[in-house]
């Protein structure tokens, strides 16, 4: 049983990040793990984070959705969690997958404001209306996870709908996220590299691209490390990024980021770190057709360049058209600029394009991040 719980927690680990391009909502972990009415279980359970991520995934009709979790430091020693759960949260903290703070205060809403994403919380944040008017004015920007049939449902505080709404990054967010930042504290998990933290950098389990750096907090208008309260130094422009997505059989399986400094390989089982592995989602025929390394995607002066590196070739779908006559062959070793709305098709039904232009196109239900959870861990209300 313990082993299975660990597998669930590993799956949830893949769904937390502080990457401004990939996080789709912000959550306060200390709050979410205490939504006891969701499953009627223990006072605190890390599995509830998975249930809330599932609810978001269902609403966005996308698999692999990631959230930005802010963690109160007291949680690292919270006796209501199992020792295994505390260990997992500590690991996430060390790897900078979550943001750990002595006093989260209004940071959850600040991150949502900077990134332009919704907050998942039962709190109303009335005290923050002055600074962040959207909290009280824009429907779908703050949603409460509440018990529902088959897992939590989301209810918007404003407007009462159930659709999470993303906006544009705020002006402050756009400015902060155009630069890279360095924290003077050695080994800072969020803004590392400062203060001679070389030894710590070597210990880091996760190599992070500067393009994926968390947003600083603003204190008196000064970019500050939310963890250490130290003033951050400007480390130059942040590499440009483009968010792409993989859609298979009509369902968006995951998003990924291509930056100017980091090309991405997509294929059945790409070599090296950071590749997008499709193998687990493909049927036998598609698995035979699609090469281990099939496509290379890169960003050059703002344009997405796709290069076929496969044995069998790919096709471009101009403007996203799926009509057979519209397919333009992309032969092995050929490159092409991916124009607006274009998708590249590795095999019929296996597509890559810009995330915003590649919605899930049918009534598909995303797989649960909790799929591996033993039933005892989640006594969900029956539909
Ligand atoms: Zn720091």
């Amino acid at each position: 049983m313990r082993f299975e719980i660990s597998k669930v927690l590993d799956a949830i680990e893949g769904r937390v990040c502080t990457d401004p391009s990939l996080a789709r909502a912000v959550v306060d972990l200390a709050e979410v793990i205490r939504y006891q009415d969701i499953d009627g279980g223990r006072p605190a359970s890390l599995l509830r984070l998975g249930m809330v991520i599932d609810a978001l995934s269902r609403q966005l009709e996308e698999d692999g959705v990631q959230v930005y979790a802010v963690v109160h430091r007291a949680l690292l020693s919270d006796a209501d969690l199992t020792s295994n759960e505390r260990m997992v949260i500590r690991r996430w903290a060390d790897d900078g997958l979550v943001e750990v703070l002595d006093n989260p205060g209004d940071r959850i809403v600040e991150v949502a404001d900077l990134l332009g994403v919704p907050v998942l919380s039962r709190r109303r944040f009335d005290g923050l209306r002055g600074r962040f008017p959207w909290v009280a004015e824009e429907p779908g920007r703050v949603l409460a996870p509440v018990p529902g049939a088959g897992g939590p449902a989301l209810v918007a505080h404003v407007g009462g709908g159930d659709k999470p709404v993303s906006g544009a990054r705020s002006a402050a967010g756009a400015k902060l996220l155009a630069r890279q930042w360095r924290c003077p504290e050695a080994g800072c998990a969020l803004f590392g590299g400062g203060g001679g933290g070389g030894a710590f950098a070597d210990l880091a389990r996760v190599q992070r691209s500067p393009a994926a750096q968390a947003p600083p907090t603003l204190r008196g208008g000064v970019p500050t490390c939310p963890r250490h309260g130290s003033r951050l130094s400007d480390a130059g422009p942040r590499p440009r990024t483009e968010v792409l997505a993989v859609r298979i059989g009509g369902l968006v399986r995951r998003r990924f980021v291509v930056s100017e400094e980091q090309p991405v390989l997509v294929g059945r089982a790409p070599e090296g770190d950071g590749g997008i592995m499709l193998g687990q989602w493909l049927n036998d025929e598609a698995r035979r057709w699609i090469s281990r390394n099939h496509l290379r995607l890169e960003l050059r002066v703002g344009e997405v360049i796709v290069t076929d590196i496969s044995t069998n070739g790919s096709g471009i779908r101009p403007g996203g058209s799926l009509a057979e006559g519209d397919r333009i062959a992309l032969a092995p070793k050929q490159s092409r600029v991916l124009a607006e709305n274009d998708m590249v098709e590795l095999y019929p039904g296996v597509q890559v394009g810009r995330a915003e232009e590649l919605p899930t196109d049918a009534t598909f239900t995303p797989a649960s991040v909790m799929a591996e959870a033993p039933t005892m861990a989640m006594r969900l209300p029956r539909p």
Side-chain angles (χ1 to χ4, degrees):
M1 196 59 81
R2 199 181 190 83
F3 174 66
E4 283 168 333
I5 296 261
S6 299
K7 277 206 295 191
V8 182
L9 294 178
D10 282 349
I12 296 174
E13 176 171 312
R15 309 289 286 276
V16 288
C17 74
T18 53
D19 185 334
S21 301
L22 293 177
R24 310 292 293 283
V26 189
V27 298
D28 176 351
L29 194 66
E31 183 194 340
V32 163
I33 61 165
R34 291 188 187 279
Y35 292 159
Q36 202 171 359
D37 56 358
I38 281 179
D39 56 286
R42 294 182 279 124
S45 160
L46 193 49
L47 297 178
R48 288 181 195 129
L49 174 62
M51 297 180 199
V52 168
I53 293 171
D54 274 354
L56 180 66
S57 222
R58 282 194 297 271
Q59 281 303 331
L60 296 173
E61 298 178 326
E62 240 187 76
D63 231 357
V65 165
Q66 293 183 298
V67 299
Y68 193 117
V70 175
V71 180
H72 196 295
R73 204 158 72 96
L75 216 57
L76 303 182
S77 48
D78 190 324
D80 285 342
L81 291 170
T82 65
S83 59
N84 189 26
E85 288 175 325
R86 287 194 298 270
M87 192 184 69
V88 165
I89 296 174
R90 260 182 238 126
R91 190 172 74 213
W92 296 354
D94 291 345
D95 290 347
L97 296 177
V98 297
E99 188 174 305
V100 179
L101 303 177
D102 292 328
N103 175 21
D106 54 11
R107 177 63 175 161
I108 292 114
V109 179
E110 184 194 42
V111 171
D113 179 75
L114 297 173
L115 268 50
V117 299
V119 179
L120 305 183
S121 173
R122 292 184 185 174
R123 292 167 59 196
R124 296 189 50 90
F125 304 107
D126 283 337
L128 296 177
R129 290 166 162 212
R131 193 169 155 212
F132 305 111
W134 54 264
V135 164
E137 290 166 10
E138 291 178 27
R141 289 297 302 276
V142 185
L143 301 105
V146 297
L154 302 177
V155 178
H157 289 279
V158 176
D162 57 5
K163 286 282 172 208
V165 175
S166 291
R169 288 175 177 173
S170 64
K175 253 191 203 169
L176 290 173
L177 294 169
R179 315 293 301 175
Q180 298 178 51
W181 304 96
R182 284 281 166 275
C183 178
E185 296 291 328
C188 179
L190 294 174
F191 303 96
F200 291 93
D202 291 344
L203 290 174
R205 230 165 43 94
V206 179
Q207 287 301 317
R208 293 156 59 81
S209 146
Q213 203 177 54
T217 187
L218 280 175
R219 296 218 181 133
V222 177
T224 304
C225 176
R227 172 77 187 90
H228 298 109
S230 322
R231 190 188 186 117
L232 297 172
S233 58
D234 187 325
R238 192 180 286 239
R240 290 170 75 161
T241 57
E242 189 80 54
V243 183
L244 304 179
V246 178
R247 185 169 68 185
I248 297 176
L251 175 65
V252 172
R253 286 295 189 169
R254 67 168 286 186
R255 293 181 170 211
F256 61 97
V257 172
V258 178
S259 73
E260 276 171 339
E261 50 161 31
Q262 219 162 28
V264 174
L265 298 182
V266 178
R268 200 179 65 240
E271 287 149 18
D273 292 338
I276 305 299
M277 177 158 62
L278 308 180
Q280 72 267 34
W281 300 308
L282 303 175
N283 61 26
D284 288 348
E285 249 170 275
R287 208 175 289 130
R288 272 195 296 274
W289 179 268
I290 294 176
S291 297
R292 228 167 109 75
N293 301 293
H294 200 102
L295 295 177
R296 186 174 66 238
L297 293 144
E298 52 203 313
L299 195 62
R300 264 190 254 151
V301 278
E303 290 195 303
V304 178
I305 316 280
V306 52
T307 304
D308 187 285
I309 52 172
S310 76
T311 307
N312 293 318
S314 308
I316 299 287
R317 295 288 187 180
S321 164
L322 292 174
E324 205 26 64
D326 291 345
R327 184 177 182 277
I328 299 168
L330 186 69
K333 302 213 163 49
Q334 241 187 336
S335 289
R336 194 186 155 99
V337 172
L338 204 64
E340 205 175 321
N341 289 309
D342 282 4
M343 333 184 276
V344 52
E345 195 165 54
L346 293 77
Y347 179 83
V350 181
Q351 298 136 352
V352 173
R354 288 179 183 76
E356 296 306 324
E357 299 164 359
L358 205 70
T360 291
D361 67 1
T363 51
F364 290 98
T365 312
S368 170
V369 69
M370 310 288 296
E372 314 256 24
T375 45
M376 63 141 274
M378 33 183 313
R379 283 173 293 153
L380 295 174
R382 293 192 176 281

